[in-house]
Amino acid sequence: MGKKGKKSNGDDASERLSKADYYEQLGPLQLELNRLARWLQHTGKRLAVVIEGRDTAGKGGVIAAIADDLNPRQCHIVALGKPSEAERTQWYYQRYVAHLPAAGEIVLFDRSWYNRAGVERVMGFCTEDQVAAFLKQAPAFEKLLVDDGILLLKYWLTVDQAQQEERFAERAEDPLKRWKLSPIDLTAREKYADYTKARADMLAATHTKHAPWTLVDFNDQRRGRLRLIRHLLDAIPDKAVPETKFEFPPLGHEPLKERFKAGLKPI
C-alpha cells in the first residue's frame, strides 16, 4: 500500500515510492531476472549493461537490485578504478574488453568506457583531442560488440542538482555511506553545468541505432530502479526455458551433528 493508503503503480512522481511498495514491485521483477538468466545460459547469449550517470545518481543501487538474486558466477559487476600507469599506455578500450561477457553471462558496468566522455573530460584527466577521438570511436567499438552478438544496453540515470545535493549531504552525515565521498565528488558539485554539456555531447555522438541510450529518471531512486529493470526485461527477446526440477528425497536417517576433535570448537 502507498503512503496515503492507495496502491501505487510506481509511475506517480508526486510522492516518493515507499519501501514496502518498492519491494512488493521488485519481487516479481527479480523472478523475471532469474528467468532471463536461465534463458541466457540456455542460449549462450551474452548481455552487457552499461549504467552511467552523475555522482549520486544511483548506479550502485540499481546494479545491486539487478544482481542480488542472481548467481554471482554468471552475473558480474565491473567497477574499475582509475587506470594504472601501464593501462594509460594501452588502447583506451583494452581494459574494458577484458571484462566483456562470455556465453551465458551478464556483465553490469558500474561506469564504463564512458568515463572518458564524462568524469575524465570534466575533471581534466584527458585532453579534448582524446575526447574527440573517443566520441568518434565509441559507436564503431559498440557496433563491433553488437555485430558479434553481444546484447548491449546503455542507461543514463538522470538526477536534478537539488537531489544530488541532498544525497551528498546524506553521505557526509552517514558513517556507513561516507566512503562513497571523495575529493572529486566535492569538486563535481561545482561542475553540474559542465557535466550537462559533456553528457549532451556524449549522447549526440553515441546514441546510435545499434546501441541507443535509454534515459531513466532517478530523482526517486526506487522508482528509477523499477523502471530500469522493467525496460531491461522488455528489451531482451525473452523466451521461456523450462526450469530444472530437482528431486529432494527424505534423508533416510536422523540428521547428523558436526563434531570436532583436538580441542577445536565453533565460536
Side-chain angles (χ1 to χ4, degrees), residues 77-215:
I77 299 172
V78 177
L80 302 184
K82 65 181 182 180
S84 66
E85 288 299 323
E87 286 172 332
R88 289 191 183 96
T89 68
Q90 295 173 349
W91 177 48
Y92 177 73
Y93 298 92
Q94 189 166 335
R95 69 184 190 135
Y96 295 103
V97 168
H99 297 279
L100 290 170
E105 290 183 344
I106 303 168
V107 172
L108 306 171
F109 285 97
D110 185 351
R111 294 195 185 275
S112 64
W113 45 91
Y114 282 100
N115 270 353
R116 174 131 298 176
V119 63
E120 289 186 21
R121 180 183 190 182
V122 173
M123 302 306 294
F125 298 151
C126 64
T127 67
E128 283 298 312
D129 285 345
Q130 288 174 317
V131 173
F134 171 84
L135 294 177
K136 181 179 180 180
Q137 292 171 8
F141 170 67
E142 291 169 357
K143 185 71 162 56
L144 292 173
L145 303 184
V146 173
D147 285 350
D148 198 57
I150 291 178
L151 302 170
L152 177 62
L153 298 176
K154 304 188 304 190
Y155 293 99
W156 178 272
L157 315 187
T158 74
V159 61
D160 297 333
Q161 192 168 26
Q163 287 297 326
Q164 187 183 50
E165 284 291 287
E166 231 178 80
R167 294 170 192 173
F168 275 137
E170 182 185 2
R171 290 180 180 183
E173 293 169 7
D174 187 343
L176 298 180
K177 294 183 178 180
R178 208 166 290 150
W179 64 269
K180 295 182 178 183
L181 278 178
S182 71
I184 290 178
D185 295 329
L186 298 178
T187 305
R189 293 178 61 217
E190 304 166 5
K191 294 182 177 290
Y192 188 91
D194 294 334
Y195 272 102
T196 298
K197 182 183 185 308
R199 181 212 62 203
D201 292 345
M202 179 197 78
L203 294 177
T206 63
H207 178 59
T208 61
K209 184 177 180 181
H210 60 270
W213 282 98
T214 298
L215 311 185

Side-chain angles (χ1 to χ4, degrees), residues 251 253-258:
L251 188 58
H253 58 76
E254 288 295 315
L256 303 177
K257 294 184 178 181
E258 277 204 287

Side-chain angles (χ1 to χ4, degrees), residues 44-87:
K45 296 289 187 181
R46 297 163 289 165
L47 174 60
V49 184
V50 169
I51 308 289
E52 289 287 343
R54 301 173 189 269
D55 297 305
T56 79
K59 297 179 290 295
V62 71
I63 286 172
I66 295 169
D68 273 354
D69 289 313
L70 297 180
N71 184 342
R73 294 183 181 87
Q74 180 188 13
C75 181
H76 307 289
I77 299 172
V78 177
L80 302 184
K82 65 181 182 180
S84 66
E85 288 299 323
E87 286 172 332

